[in-house]
Amino acid sequence: MPRLRPALSALSACLLLAACQSTPPAAPPPAPATPYRGAVLAVDQTERGVQIVLPGSVLFESGKATFQQAEAAPFLDRVAQLLLTKTDKRVAVEGHTDTDGSANLNEQLSLARARAVADALSSRGVPAARLEAAGFSFRRPVASNSTEDGKRLNRRVELVVLGEQLATLTANEPPGAFESAWARLRSLIEQGRVQAVDAAAPK
């Protein structure tokens, strides 16, 4: 029996060494990311700051400054969240229309819609002092008003987070939460669905 002890000790040492050198089990694969299901914001970097384009056809009833609540709420909630958590910059809220109707009517409508968006953001906690509403009627089209698709693009409210960087606003946000407004416009132009205008470029 005494002669077996060294052999048993050596065997135990070999087993321990083999256990230490064995390959650890592979880590389980990461769980697939949950697809983003919130409102997708159309954004771009401009000289003035980060531009967020809210489609008027989604936000408002036709020819009015009254929100379509079910469609508008997700966009307004999302914008308010970004403005409250990602930046403290001032925001220009700018209303735009197509060419249907008189100049005076569109002037009033564009301003009323900009104010409605500013009020909605303020009611969601964004300080009113950071929000400045203005209306531009049909003076700043992004597409020709010769087609319905072009008119639809021109009916919009743009927010410009003044002096902000797109990378700051979108950092750590889920994939699919944003799209490029101008890339979408270029795609529609290439498809022949809208005609370009000289103003259809970020400023």
Side-chain angles (χ1 to χ4, degrees), residues 125-194:
V126 181
R130 290 177 56 195
L131 305 168
E132 183 176 347
F136 293 95
S137 185
F138 45 68
R139 297 192 300 276
R140 296 185 180 181
V142 294
S144 169
N145 283 289
S146 61
T147 67
E148 287 303 316
D149 283 323
K151 290 180 179 180
R152 190 175 299 110
L153 288 174
N154 289 330
R155 297 191 297 266
R156 69 200 189 281
V157 174
E158 294 180 357
L159 295 92
V160 183
V161 187
L162 300 170
E164 190 56 272
Q165 296 298 309
L166 184 60
T168 299
L169 212 62
T170 60
N172 301 317
E173 293 294 323
F178 302 95
E179 65 176 349
S180 169
W182 297 105
R184 181 177 60 184
L185 174 61
R186 285 191 294 270
S187 175
L188 291 172
I189 292 173
E190 291 170 358
Q191 295 172 34
R193 294 174 57 183
V194 301

Side-chain angles (χ1 to χ4, degrees), residues 5-47:
R5 288 177 181 172
L8 290 173
S9 297
L11 179 60
S12 298
C14 289
L15 291 174
L16 287 172
L17 181 61
C20 292
Q21 293 178 341
S22 63
T23 303
T34 303
Y36 178 74
R37 302 187 185 280
V40 177
L41 296 182
V43 299
D44 275 297
Q45 183 73 59
T46 73
E47 293 178 0

Side-chain angles (χ1 to χ4, degrees), residues 26 96 113 119 182:
H96 304 270
R113 287 182 167 181
D119 289 345
W182 297 105

